[in-house]
Amino acid sequence: MHLSQRITNITGGGSDGWDLFNRARAMIANGTSVTELTIGEHDIPTHPSILEAMHKAALGGHTGYAAVPGTDELRETVAARIQAQTGVATTAANVMITPGGQAALFASHTAVCDDGDVALYIDPYYATYPGTIRGVGAVPRPVAARAENAFQPRAEDIDAAAVGAASLLINSPNNPTGVIYGEDTLSRIAEVCQRHDMWLISDEVYDTQVWEGSHLSPRALPDMADRTLVVGSMSKSFAMTGSRCGWIVGPESAIDHLITLAIHTTYGVPGYIQDASVFALTQGDALEREVATPFRRRRAIAQDILARQNSVGLIPAQGAMYLMLDVRATGMTGEAFAEALLDAHHIAVMPGESFGAAAAGHVRVAMTIEDRAFATSLATLCEFAETRASQTA
Ligand code: PMP
């Protein structure tokens, strides 16, 4: 039977970038012990106090259909958080709750792209971006943020790609590079969006994982609130990846239509998950800090290890739970390096190429295992790179 182009073409016919990850998982299933530094999943479970709030809400009866746009309480809580972050007046009417950030990305592109519209995104990128854009019937167009610019996107490159584009998707703090966009970069991006009358979709799911500098949302920039859709999530900030709770914040007119879309797609997010999210978001920043601290610590451990060698370069990661390592001195592609490291030492890292051509010759390391094992694995990775580099020299 025929299946639609829309669904069969989501990956664009190429690899979905997860080959190495799947091979590592297959090795584990066959009983091999593999150190996984692949995906962005915390090594701690959701905090018991959040689970208690969830349990209480479910036992209290919040198990039926929840309000499709999100509960008033959660929408108000998210609005207050975004208003405090941006200084821009934000009410519940500017917020729609979604089943995680991914659903928010899909819905946001659905809201702003017509069939065949070009949607820009920055390369390197989170693996689902081009597929999300294809999934809504739009055409993904990458704009490279180059290693030699420390993976900061340049406004002139976006400008050159923007002719006829409906939207631009950015992500700061960035997965996979850990880079944070400063006010300068964001202001230039905002100008380009205004010049080309583009929507800006700002994926801010790592906004609580900031190790250097500070997080700035483009919603805060002059005249940007009306053309920006902010994507947020409970996943990374509260170790709630499995709970599937996120949001879109944007102009009320867009949110109104997004609610209609949700009525016809997700039909909302479970009420007990939303209640637990309200609980989590109203605990002050202690809980968020507790979730972020292990990554901050491991980043410092990594900086220490990497400072003592010169075969692996570290892109100065300012945020998020990843390190982007430059392995070009080994003469290998990121893919070849990751494959060889998995074979030789049973350490799984993601090839940079999985995140786009701009990350070729790099690997992404998720800082998602316990400190000592993390330090040992990273030291092994460096020794491995050193051996390979000396063979190349
Ligand atoms: N955006 C980025 C940049 C991500 O890394 C992820 C998850 N890894 C998501 C969005 C989606 O997260 P979730 O759907 O769990 O909120």
Side-chain angles (χ1 to χ4, degrees):
M1 282 303 289
H2 173 78
L3 289 165
S4 71
Q5 276 282 327
R6 174 79 53 93
I7 196 163
T8 53
N9 193 40
I10 283 183
T11 62
S15 139
D16 62 2
W18 292 95
D19 297 347
L20 185 127
F21 173 78
N22 293 333
R23 191 157 82 81
R25 282 283 156 103
M27 286 168 72
I28 294 167
N30 288 331
T32 309
S33 158
V34 173
T35 305
E36 275 199 278
L37 302 170
T38 47
I39 58 168
E41 177 97 61
H42 313 70
D43 50 326
I44 50 162
T46 306
H47 196 274
S49 63
I50 301 177
L51 296 177
E52 267 164 35
M54 204 181 287
H55 186 66
K56 210 169 115 207
L59 284 178
H62 206 173
T63 52
Y65 290 126
V68 173
T71 63
D72 291 346
E73 215 185 346
L74 182 54
R75 292 174 84 195
E76 278 157 19
T77 304
V78 170
R81 182 182 177 91
I82 298 289
Q83 181 167 315
Q85 234 178 38
T86 60
V88 175
T90 307
T91 71
N94 298 113
V95 179
M96 185 178 81
I97 305 304
T98 62
Q102 181 55 44
L105 287 167
F106 195 90
S108 296
H109 282 93
T110 308
V112 303
C113 293
D114 277 315
D115 253 357
D117 274 354
V118 168
L120 304 181
Y121 63 106
I122 308 294
D123 170 3
Y125 52 87
Y126 171 48
T128 67
Y129 282 5
T132 302
I133 292 167
R134 284 189 208 98
V136 310
V139 178
R141 183 183 289 168
V143 180
R146 293 171 208 291
E148 55 268 33
N149 299 327
F151 291 117
Q152 290 279 344
R154 296 190 321 165
E156 53 268 45
D157 296 335
I158 300 171
D159 193 49
V163 179
S167 61
L168 166 67
L169 170 58
I170 61 170
N171 169 223
S172 173
N174 187 268
N175 175 14
T177 63
V179 162
I180 289 181
Y181 300 173
E183 187 167 356
D184 215 42
T185 301
L186 285 170
S187 298
R188 287 163 198 249
I189 289 176
E191 259 172 52
V192 175
C193 289
Q194 281 160 359
R195 191 167 333 124
H196 293 272
D197 198 20
M198 281 193 300
W199 281 91
L200 183 58
I201 300 174
S202 179
D203 178 343
E204 302 179 21
V205 304
Y206 293 100
D207 64 348
T208 61
Q209 299 182 3
V210 176
W211 323 131
E212 257 174 50
S214 54
H215 170 70
L216 173 65
S217 169
R219 181 173 167 81
L221 297 178
D223 302 321
M224 284 305 287
D226 281 344
R227 61 170 71 249
T228 303
L229 297 175
V230 173
V231 168
S233 175
M234 298 299 290
S235 287
K236 311 293 177 177
S237 42
F238 291 96
M240 287 177 70
T241 49
S243 289
R244 314 309 304 135
C245 189
W247 51 81
I248 303 173
V249 176
E252 203 174 325
S253 53
I255 296 296
D256 283 349
H257 288 289
L258 281 159
I259 293 167
T260 308
L261 176 69
I263 291 171
H264 295 86
T265 52
T266 61
Y267 216 76
V269 174
Y272 50 92
I273 301 283
Q274 297 196 59
D275 290 349
S277 300
V278 170
F279 171 85
L281 288 165
T282 51
Q283 296 310 298
D285 61 2
L287 258 179
E288 291 168 36
R289 213 161 345 108
E290 195 176 320
V291 174
T293 295
F295 305 123
R296 181 189 288 279
R297 215 171 46 225
R298 290 169 199 157
R299 174 178 173 269
I301 292 172
Q303 281 176 319
D304 214 41
I305 293 171
L306 289 159
R308 286 188 253 121
Q309 54 81 57
N310 45 29
S311 303
V312 175
L314 172 64
I315 306 306
Q318 297 132 331
M321 53 172 81
Y322 312 99
L323 303 171
M324 192 61 121
L325 303 181
D326 182 348
V327 296
R328 286 177 291 182
T330 63
M332 301 167 91
T333 63
E335 249 153 27
F337 184 89
E339 293 286 348
L341 183 69
L342 181 59
D343 287 332
H345 296 289
H346 297 173
I347 295 172
V349 297
M350 291 296 284
E353 291 83 358
S354 297
F355 307 102
H362 291 71
V363 294
R364 189 195 74 173
V365 172
M367 300 187 281
T368 48
I369 60 171
E370 162 283 308
D371 293 16
R372 200 170 306 176
F374 176 71
T376 310
S377 310
L378 200 61
T380 305
L381 182 154
C382 290
E383 279 160 29
F384 178 74
E386 220 144 316
T387 312
R388 291 301 179 117
S390 64
Q391 288 164 358
T392 308

